[in-house]
Amino acid sequence: MTKEDRAEKIYKQLKYKRKKYIENHTRVRGYSGSYIWHRILLPLLKILRISEKQHITVVGDAQVETTKPVIYACTHIGFFDIMILFEAIKKPCWLFWGNPNEDLTTLYGWMARRNGAILIDTYDKEDRKLAKMEAEMLLNQGGSLMIFPEGAWNITDNEPVMKLFKGTVSMALNTNAEIVPIAIEQYGKEFFVNIGRNIQYTNEKESIEQLNCELRDNLATLKWQIWEKQTICVRSEIPADYRDTYIKTILDDADGKYTEKMINDEKYHDKYA
């Protein structure tokens, strides 16, 4: 059995078990134990980051303490951002993990599942529904969640933040959770994280579409603040193949597990497009 076949088999088994579990329970299994694992895994994440010669700079942290569950809504830039964000956030939170593919068979996949992860097959309508139900169960238990509302790595030419899926806002409304927006950017081995202030949704007159746009604006502002702290670049100094080189670097970080087409397929698309 190949590594890919083994990953697919594991994924099918996990999806089947989740469906059966959600049909008969109202609380997420493994929630209490995940806090213990989180304390164990954080130092390991730091060791792995140092071994990769990566560095984190938190340029801002406006998050405020709350007794409510929290959804950490993060921008998405590449293979390492999940590990970097866990270390920057520090607080326990489960990962809302779309299309993990063969990552399930890697060390990072094992760590994510021990920490607590809600897997989702974004191409499967039923599984999308079940994953959202499980996430809301977690939040209703008082747990926190890390999610990437863009749905895919942002490899666009000129969008600070791509259009967002509405699930993040919907889950916050359904569970009375607060959203903490977080922007992350990568320059080689340097990672910059900007953590925004908690968002509480109390205006019922606003539609999910409007609230989703506000979340995107928040993320874009946080991303812009990261950019403002970078060295000014002269356009004439940008190589002609800069974009191709950048995308190749992003894909190389993932060891060939993803392609540009896969990334573009997974991001949000307007229904009329």
Side-chain angles (χ1 to χ4, degrees):
M1 181 182 293
T2 66
K3 186 177 180 180
E4 290 76 13
D5 290 339
R6 179 168 170 261
E8 185 177 356
K9 182 178 180 180
I10 292 173
Y11 201 1
K12 286 182 178 179
Q13 289 173 344
L14 291 171
K15 287 168 64 177
Y16 176 78
K17 288 179 180 178
R18 172 170 63 193
K19 181 178 179 181
K20 292 299 181 183
Y21 184 84
I22 290 177
E23 288 174 350
N24 298 287
H25 297 81
T26 58
R27 298 177 67 82
V28 172
R29 178 171 45 194
Y31 170 64
S32 300
S34 65
Y35 279 75
I36 298 172
W37 273 109
H38 181 81
R39 289 195 291 270
I40 296 172
L41 294 172
L42 268 187
L44 181 56
L45 281 176
K46 185 174 182 178
I47 292 170
L48 290 172
R49 173 177 59 79
I50 292 172
S51 72
E52 294 283 348
K53 299 181 180 178
Q54 296 167 339
H55 182 261
I56 303 175
T57 299
V58 178
V59 302
D61 187 351
Q63 180 184 184
V64 296
E65 292 295 328
T66 179
T67 58
K68 294 182 178 180
V70 173
I71 301 175
Y72 295 98
C74 311
T75 61
H76 211 5
I77 56 167
F79 181 75
F80 290 107
D81 57 6
I82 293 173
M83 288 74 80
I84 297 295
L85 287 163
F86 270 127
E87 194 175 346
I89 292 170
K90 296 184 176 65
K91 299 177 181 179
C93 57
W94 281 41
L95 172 65
F96 198 77
W97 193 4
N99 303 329
N101 302 317
E102 62 263 34
D103 288 337
L104 288 172
T105 62
T106 67
L107 173 61
Y108 290 119
W110 177 85
M111 291 171 65
R113 290 165 61 193
R114 296 288 78 74
N115 170 82
I118 295 174
L119 309 183
I120 173 173
D121 182 351
T122 60
Y123 301 106
D124 184 329
K125 184 176 180 180
E126 181 186 32
D127 200 57
R128 293 198 302 269
K129 180 180 178 180
L130 289 170
K132 186 183 178 189
M133 289 173 62
E134 186 177 9
E136 291 183 356
M137 285 166 58
L138 172 73
L139 293 166
N140 283 325
Q141 284 175 242
S144 294
L145 189 71
M146 180 198 295
I147 193 169
F148 298 89
E150 292 173 288
W153 300 340
N154 187 348
I155 57 172
T156 62
D157 293 339
N158 54 12
E159 287 185 281
V161 179
M162 300 186 296
K163 288 187 176 181
L164 310 182
F165 288 93
K166 299 170 188 173
T168 303
V169 170
S170 176
M171 286 190 284
L173 291 171
N174 291 342
T175 62
N176 198 30
E178 296 182 3
I179 292 180
V180 173
I182 304 179
I184 182 172
E185 192 63 286
Q186 176 181 358
Y187 301 93
K189 299 287 186 178
E190 298 290 326
F191 290 83
F192 295 84
V193 179
N194 196 11
I195 305 173
R197 190 175 182 83
N198 307 38
I199 302 172
Q200 302 181 49
Y201 295 124
T202 57
N203 187 355
E204 296 180 358
K205 294 181 181 180
E206 290 187 277
S207 67
I208 288 182
E209 288 76 11
Q210 288 174 301
L211 296 174
N212 210 38
C213 286
E214 291 174 12
L215 175 57
R216 188 184 182 198
D217 288 344
N218 268 279
L219 290 169
T221 298
L222 293 169
K223 180 68 75 74
W224 187 266
Q225 289 170 350
I226 293 175
W227 291 351
E228 285 184 317
K229 294 185 179 295
Q230 306 310 310
T231 304
I232 295 175
C233 180
V234 179
R235 184 180 294 274
S236 60
E237 295 177 354
I238 301 175
D241 62 346
Y242 177 82
R243 183 180 187 279
D244 292 338
T245 301
Y246 170 75
I247 293 177
K248 182 180 183 303
T249 300
I250 294 294
L251 297 178
D252 286 348
D253 282 345
D255 292 329
K257 297 185 182 73
Y258 296 88
T259 65
E260 187 172 352
K261 182 181 184 303
M262 289 170 63
I263 296 170
N264 286 324
D265 286 346
E266 291 177 4
K267 71 180 184 180
Y268 179 86
H269 295 274
D270 291 316
K271 290 183 179 179
Y272 56 81

